[in-house]
Amino acid sequence: IMEGNQCESSTVAENGNEAPDAVADVKKRCWDQREALPGEPHCVICGRYGEYICDETDDDICSLECKQTLLCRVARSQAPVGLSPSTRLPTTDECFYVRENDEKFNSQSLTNDQTELLRRKLKINVRGDLVPAPVLSFNSCNVPQKLLDNIEAAGYEMPTPVQMQAIPAALVGKSLLVSADTGSGKTASFLVPVIASCSNLNHEKFSNQKKPLSIVLTPTRELCIQVEEQAKLLAKGLPFKTALVVGGDPMAGQLHRINQGVGVIIATPGRLIDLLTKHDIELDNVSVLVLDEVDLMLQRGFHEQVIQIFQALSQPQVLMYSATISKEVEKMACSMVKGITVVSVGKPNKPNRAVKQMPIWVESKKKKQKLFDILLSKQHFMPPVVIFVGSRLGADLLSKAVAVTTGIKALSIHGEKPMKERREIIRSFLVGEVPVLVATGVLGRGIDLLGVRQVIVFDMPISIKEYVHQIGRASRLGEEGTAIVFVNEENKKIFPELVDILKSSGAPIPRELNSRYTKTTFPLGKGQKKRKHSS
């Protein structure tokens, strides 16, 4: 337990009342602390491992620095409130207002012209009827005060563009199809309205019932675990519990958790259907269904499972999210939910501009050596690094080759490994014990790999959508990252789309790719005319 540390000091110093030996082991700065693992306490200020408990507030904290920040916030919250109800945002032309203390204020206070101007500034595109204007602060959202406190404690100072638009739209009951960059804050943009609405329902209508109120579906176990961790952080102290329903964990424990009463079931579709088939779980109170990585969830093997779950519910509000949404997926979403509102932030289906793409033309036989050269280069190797490959066997073999050839610790992760082993691998990677992780597409979707600023695409995926997701792992909330991409003749089917992606991002295009792109004749479908691709 940490003892008193005064807010007035501008630097973190040892408290005079503490014994020197006791303070010596206490971490002073938040960056000295490691990231929290699943199930461990999170620092209420920065989200890292909450190793200590503040003696004055009983909150989990990671360091003296975060304790000081916490105490300053507590002191400010107890200070007299100023007279001015609004804060002007400094700007040279248009001015919007963030009204922190005016409970009557909401986004509808903006005129239509102001709303459209704000959306253009934030690169938000909206299609739908009576969609609320974006909010400029979380305080403008009609959510419980405890949720606002948790949002601030989690480190969210102001909403990202996707949160500004998606949260108010979801809170008024709109079904949404949302596309935004990887790492742009999409998870919080659906968790905030889910937690808010379910907490209110629990308080007003279902306080004595123990039926689930919402369901979040994601394609992978790892993504489910991450979503649940963030939900627990945001729902702390609210009448809102979570149940994680994924393969690899005992079903009996998952069933017991649901029967105790939960606000949300966070699940992979197959496991949830398995649970619903074998046990009697009432879903008639479920009012919100979230489909994360919806472009995957409405395709491949997930589609029938998702529709089966959707049809078991009674006309829920549906929130669908991804970084890449094709016209086909949009058509399927619109047929599934009538009157859906479509929200896109930035350029849809394009890579995160914070990721610097570095394509390299490498023949297949030379890719391993090129990888080893990069990993052994002090200039180019920036751990922790995720290397994406095309097969599970390839992941296992390449991770061993990296360890043997370079002496750098490397592990592989893919869907065939048991859940317990996958959790341990991610733990080792996040805490810095293993600087290189070789992965299949299991980590390409939605996973928030804190600290990763470099991705190496060793095997180019077969679709440009998967490429966009994979390189997006190198950036979180706009922080800059690098993606090194190996390209060769084997990837010629996606040359046109890849060149367009590289050009739109201002990335260099290898000479070999340029020459092949302009000279290769690509197979055409029926009724299509030949197009000339110019460099």
Side-chain angles (χ1 to χ4, degrees):
I1 295 180
M2 277 192 177
E3 296 180 357
N5 187 32
Q6 295 304 313
C7 179
E8 289 80 4
S9 173
S10 61
T11 60
V12 178
E14 292 89 343
N15 189 299
N17 296 328
E18 295 174 338
D21 291 341
V23 176
D25 295 333
V26 174
K27 293 179 175 60
K28 296 181 179 180
R29 300 286 182 181
C30 68
W31 58 71
D32 294 333
Q33 186 59 267
R34 63 175 174 82
E35 300 294 341
L37 302 176
E40 290 186 336
H42 292 70
C43 174
V44 296
I45 300 298
C46 69
R48 290 179 171 82
Y49 173 44
E51 185 174 357
Y52 315 107
I53 299 174
C54 178
D55 61 317
E56 296 186 31
T57 67
D58 285 334
D59 286 306
D60 297 315
I61 46 177
C62 71
S63 60
L64 287 169
E65 179 183 26
C66 284
K67 179 186 179 181
Q68 182 185 2
T69 302
L70 174 63
L71 294 182
C72 286
R73 287 182 181 178
V74 171
R76 284 199 300 269
S77 68
Q78 295 173 349
V81 179
L83 296 177
S84 176
S86 60
T87 303
R88 288 179 179 266
L89 297 180
T91 179
T92 55
D93 46 5
E94 301 86 4
C95 185
F96 301 98
Y97 296 87
V98 182
R99 308 191 183 192
E100 298 284 349
N101 302 320
D102 187 354
E103 295 182 359
K104 296 180 181 180
F105 174 78
N106 59 56
S107 58
Q108 298 306 320
S109 300
L110 298 176
T111 65
N112 289 338
D113 288 343
Q114 287 175 324
T115 298
E116 288 308 310
L117 176 61
L118 180 56
R119 284 176 177 154
R120 284 200 303 272
K121 291 281 184 183
L122 298 172
K123 297 181 179 178
I124 298 172
N125 297 295
V126 175
R127 280 186 282 125
D129 298 327
L130 302 175
V131 183
V135 294
L136 297 174
S137 75
F138 290 108
N139 292 65
S140 299
C141 303
N142 184 25
V143 300
Q145 182 59 45
K146 182 58 180 174
L147 178 53
L148 291 175
D149 295 340
N150 292 341
I151 290 171
E152 182 181 358
Y156 293 97
E157 293 184 357
M158 68 177 295
T160 63
V162 67
Q163 294 164 356
M164 290 178 180
Q165 184 60 76
I167 291 175
L171 284 171
V172 297
K174 295 286 184 182
S175 286
L176 304 177
L177 178 63
V178 181
S179 63
D181 284 344
T182 52
S184 60
K186 293 189 292 295
T187 303
S189 75
F190 65 72
L191 281 180
V192 168
V194 165
I195 293 170
S197 61
C198 291
S199 297
N200 290 334
L201 282 174
N202 253 332
H203 181 71
E204 297 169 5
K205 300 169 79 173
F206 304 131
S207 56
N208 296 322
Q209 298 189 31
K210 294 185 177 181
K211 300 177 184 179
L213 302 177
S214 61
I215 295 174
V216 176
L217 298 178
T218 84
T220 67
R221 290 176 282 186
E222 283 76 16
L223 188 49
C224 282
I225 292 169
Q226 179 178 292
V227 170
E228 192 203 25
E229 286 299 318
Q230 193 162 356
K232 286 180 176 178
L233 194 64
L234 293 174
K236 183 179 179 181
L238 287 165
F240 183 89
K241 294 181 180 179
T242 64
L244 182 67
V245 178
V246 296
D249 288 342
M251 187 176 287
Q254 297 170 354
L255 180 64
H256 176 73
R257 178 74 172 173
I258 293 172
N259 288 336
Q260 292 299 304
V262 296
V264 63
I265 295 174
I266 301 168
T268 50
R271 180 64 166 205
L272 181 57
I273 287 178
D274 195 20
L275 191 69
L276 295 174
T277 303
K278 295 177 180 177
H279 303 279
D280 184 21
I281 299 174
E282 296 186 46
L283 301 178
D284 48 315
N285 283 353
V286 172
S287 59
V288 185
L289 172 65
V290 179
L291 303 181
D292 199 9
E293 305 297 341
V294 66
D295 56 324
L296 270 185
M297 303 298 269
L298 293 184
Q299 292 181 345
R300 300 183 187 178
F302 290 118
H303 181 247
E304 290 184 2
Q305 297 173 334
V306 169
I307 295 301
Q308 188 176 344
I309 294 169
F310 174 68
Q311 290 176 344
L313 307 178
S314 178
Q315 296 183 324
Q317 176 187 10
V318 183
L319 307 177
M320 311 186 200
Y321 287 76
S322 185
T324 52
I325 296 177
S326 65
K327 291 293 183 183
E328 179 188 1
V329 170
E330 183 176 333
K331 186 177 179 180
M332 294 171 71
C334 291
S335 65
M336 180 177 165
V337 183
K338 302 302 180 185
I340 196 166
T341 297
V342 180
V343 177
S344 63
V345 180
K347 293 184 178 180
N349 303 321
K350 298 294 184 183
N352 189 330
R353 294 193 68 85
V355 178
K356 180 183 179 182
Q357 299 170 76
M358 299 176 62
I360 304 174
W361 187 272
V362 188
E363 299 299 338
S364 295
K365 294 181 180 180
K366 298 181 179 179
K367 286 202 296 187
K368 278 189 180 179
Q369 187 55 52
K370 175 60 72 173
L371 175 65
F372 300 152
D373 292 342
I374 291 170
L375 297 180
L376 291 171
S377 167
K378 292 182 179 180
Q379 180 181 355
H380 296 108
F381 179 47
M382 295 178 285
V385 173
V386 177
I387 302 171
F388 282 107
V389 296
S391 70
R392 294 166 179 176
L393 178 60
D396 291 335
L397 293 175
L398 188 60
S399 64
K400 292 176 182 176
V402 167
V404 170
T405 307
T406 67
I408 299 171
K409 286 185 179 180
L411 291 175
S412 63
I413 186 168
H414 52 70
E416 282 187 357
K417 294 198 171 186
M419 190 64 196
K420 184 176 181 181
E421 184 180 355
R422 287 160 71 173
R423 281 177 171 168
E424 178 59 25
I425 289 169
I426 289 181
R427 184 204 68 81
S428 300
F429 183 65
L430 291 178
V431 301
E433 294 174 2
V434 177
V436 174
L437 194 59
V438 185
T440 57
V442 70
L443 289 188
R445 291 278 180 160
I447 300 295
D448 190 359
L449 297 172
L450 296 171
V452 173
R453 295 295 172 265
Q454 185 176 52
V455 164
I456 299 175
V457 181
F458 186 85
D459 291 329
M460 193 73 180
I462 59 174
S463 81
I464 209 69
K465 287 195 301 181
E466 291 307 310
Y467 170 74
V468 170
H469 281 276
Q470 287 182 4
I471 67 173
R473 298 307 108 213
S475 173
R476 179 177 180 268
L477 297 177
E479 294 186 23
E480 292 186 358
T482 303
I484 298 175
V485 186
F486 291 174
V487 187
N488 59 42
E489 193 69 34
E490 294 179 359
N491 315 124
K492 61 184 179 182
K493 288 185 179 180
I494 62 170
F495 279 179
E497 292 176 293
L498 178 60
V499 170
D500 288 344
I501 287 284
L502 295 174
K503 281 184 176 180
S504 68
S505 303
I509 300 175
R511 180 176 63 256
E512 298 87 348
L513 177 57
N514 236 336
S515 61
R516 285 162 174 78
Y517 175 63
T518 54
K519 294 178 183 178
T520 303
T521 301
F522 299 95
L524 302 172
K526 290 182 179 181
Q528 286 185 289
K529 296 181 179 180
K530 289 187 177 181
R531 290 171 52 200
K532 291 183 179 180
H533 296 282
S534 61
S535 59

